[in-house]
Amino acid sequence: MMIPAACVLLCACAQETQPEDDSSTEIPSAARTDSVYTETFRCTYELSYPNNTMQTFDLDGVLEVEEDEAHYTQNIYGNGASSALEGWYYGGRLYNTYNGVDYYEDMTLDQLKQAMQVQLEPYIPAKSEYSEVQINDDTVVYTLTQKAAEKIFLEHYDFYGFNQVKGVEILDGTITQTIEDGMIAAEAAEFHAALSQSGVDVAILYRSETRKLLFGSTEVTITDDLRDAQAAYVHYSEIDTDAISDADVEDDAPEETAEGTFRKRLVSRLGYRTEDGKVYKSEFNDSESYTIDFPNHQFIYTNYSSKYVYNWAGDVGVFGTSCTYELSDGTHSSDCAEEVLKMIEQVKLYLRMELYYCGLSLEDLQAESK
């Protein structure tokens, strides 16, 4: 099966479906909404064949929105082919770069969101669409009925085009939503399906994750130099499609572990440097830098002489010699000033964002450190 043409241009828009919620259970029924936020997303399709071969499609990205302007990055890996996309949206126009080819396309901000090839808006099942719901602290897990799983997957989540393929059966599905301040801030969906075609049985696994964060503090900075450069972009209809190639795109395939993938993509995606393959560093001005020390599970933010250390294995932050902050339960030593505690929390968020740009989550990294 072929990856859809929507991977080439962003003009295809996903259909949104929202059922009426007839549930009497006290479940949050709205997503976080704001005009200033960052949204991270990732999606995986795995097609397993009887001869033990597998076809894989991975996509991840970050979308930053500030009022009517936006910036996004997206990375796609499918069966050995890698693609990298980055776009800036302002004035009702998307200026996009796809594997080194520059073009523009007129669209609305909503159309841009729908073209990310991952459903960014959560689906709130009606009571008739799930057989079980579990509410634990800040999470809600819906186990969908088989009939509802088929409808919801094909109409809301799937962009691969399985609704056009005969012989596809959606077997089951679950939706897990994370609640913050009484609203849905994150969602993970998983569906299993089977395809019988020309005598070949294929097992299909779909997973997607989205999360909104940095409400009210996301900044989209479009410089004059950027605007001048993008004034030379051509309309997407004038693209020489032969110029779009993955031949010179560095291999972006995930490694066997989250840490291995993170190390690889820190260099290929984010430009980190390493001398020994253990400690990676990124200097983004004369005074600030990020250092990632993998053997000690440390992410270090340095600003002039100040050094904030976050240990992801223990979920602990350290500043100086006398301030230790246990982020898991909020306890800290008496010598921690309030502004230092807030900065340690911010440093943890810095690490989260580096991971998101590499198609991973902090939880992925922490799970391997236990």
Side-chain angles (χ1 to χ4, degrees):
M1 297 183 64
M2 300 296 293
I3 295 173
C7 294
V8 179
L9 297 177
L10 294 179
C11 44
C13 298
Q15 177 181 356
E16 296 187 12
T17 307
Q18 190 73 9
E20 294 183 6
D21 189 358
D22 58 358
S23 171
S24 58
T25 309
E26 296 247 347
I27 299 173
S29 59
R32 292 286 298 261
T33 58
D34 203 290
S35 59
V36 179
Y37 64 90
T38 294
E39 184 149 16
T40 66
F41 54 90
R42 56 181 178 170
C43 171
T44 299
Y45 282 87
E46 292 181 358
L47 282 67
S48 301
Y49 296 87
N51 60 357
N52 294 322
T53 61
M54 181 179 293
Q55 191 175 18
T56 303
F57 176 86
D58 288 303
L59 178 152
D60 64 81
V62 176
L63 173 66
E64 300 164 297
V65 178
E66 184 181 10
E67 303 298 344
D68 55 356
E69 297 180 342
H71 169 244
Y72 89 97
T73 60
Q74 189 178 87
N75 293 273
I76 302 171
Y77 176 80
N79 301 313
S82 297
S83 296
L85 299 92
E86 181 174 18
W88 298 84
Y89 179 85
Y90 54 93
R93 177 170 290 180
L94 173 69
Y95 297 89
N96 209 51
T97 300
Y98 176 34
N99 281 8
V101 175
D102 300 328
Y103 63 92
Y104 72 84
E105 182 177 359
D106 293 320
M107 60 175 62
T108 66
L109 183 57
D110 283 341
Q111 287 174 326
L112 173 62
K113 296 174 188 176
Q114 293 169 18
M116 290 295 99
Q117 301 186 74
V118 177
Q119 181 55 257
L120 299 181
E121 297 305 318
Y123 187 96
I124 306 162
K127 187 176 182 180
S128 60
E129 293 181 317
Y130 55 85
S131 57
E132 182 182 3
V133 60
Q134 296 179 337
I135 305 176
N136 301 310
D137 298 327
D138 62 347
T139 62
V140 180
V141 182
Y142 299 95
T143 300
L144 304 173
T145 66
Q146 190 275 331
K147 181 179 179 181
E150 180 173 8
K151 172 180 178 292
I152 294 168
F153 176 70
L154 295 178
E155 294 183 3
H156 185 76
Y157 291 99
D158 177 51
F159 66 87
Y160 206 107
F162 280 116
N163 60 342
Q164 304 296 319
V165 178
K166 293 183 179 180
V168 172
E169 180 184 8
I170 311 303
L171 304 177
D172 57 52
T174 59
I175 299 172
T176 303
Q177 295 172 344
T178 302
I179 311 304
E180 295 178 2
D181 300 325
M183 308 289 280
I184 301 169
E187 178 183 86
E190 180 172 316
F191 292 84
H192 295 87
L195 169 62
S196 180
Q197 197 171 59
S198 302
V200 177
D201 294 328
V202 184
I204 302 166
L205 171 63
Y206 167 91
R207 291 194 183 101
S208 66
E209 297 179 23
T210 62
R211 172 177 288 274
K212 287 187 171 72
L213 66 164
L214 294 175
F215 287 93
S217 61
T218 295
E219 295 183 1
V220 177
T221 303
I222 304 171
T223 65
D224 290 340
D225 288 344
L226 191 62
R227 292 174 186 268
D228 291 343
Q230 291 169 343
Y233 285 20
V234 301
H235 189 262
Y236 78 89
S237 62
E238 300 176 30
I239 292 175
D240 177 7
T241 55
D242 291 335
I244 301 176
S245 170
D246 57 21
D248 60 351
V249 177
E250 186 165 346
D251 182 15
D252 199 49
E255 297 293 317
E256 293 183 0
T257 64
E259 182 177 307
T261 302
F262 193 30
R263 292 182 189 227
K264 179 179 187 178
R265 293 176 176 174
L266 280 172
V267 176
S268 63
R269 294 190 183 183
L270 301 182
Y272 276 68
R273 295 179 293 103
T274 180
E275 294 182 358
D276 56 8
K278 298 177 181 178
V279 177
Y280 293 68
K281 190 170 184 178
S282 175
E283 297 173 325
F284 41 95
N285 57 44
D286 293 337
S287 62
E288 295 178 284
S289 67
Y290 291 162
T291 302
I292 303 178
D293 180 348
F294 283 100
N296 293 305
H297 307 112
Q298 292 181 344
F299 177 80
I300 304 164
Y301 169 65
T302 303
N303 189 348
Y304 289 104
S305 60
S306 297
K307 183 180 292 186
Y308 300 84
V309 180
Y310 172 70
N311 182 291
W312 63 78
D315 198 25
V316 176
V318 175
F319 179 74
T321 59
S322 57
C323 175
T324 301
Y325 183 15
E326 301 275 353
L327 284 91
S328 57
D329 60 14
T331 60
H332 55 82
S333 54
S334 59
D335 292 331
C336 295
E338 187 64 30
E339 60 268 23
V340 170
L341 296 177
K342 290 181 179 179
M343 191 62 212
I344 291 174
E345 293 173 354
Q346 187 68 28
V347 170
K348 180 179 178 179
L349 179 59
Y350 292 160
L351 174 59
R352 275 196 181 277
M353 292 308 303
E354 298 297 88
L355 283 157
Y356 285 139
Y357 279 114
C358 291
L360 300 163
S361 71
L362 179 57
E363 289 70 25
D364 294 332
L365 202 58
Q366 289 174 325
E368 294 179 354
S369 304
K370 294 178 179 179

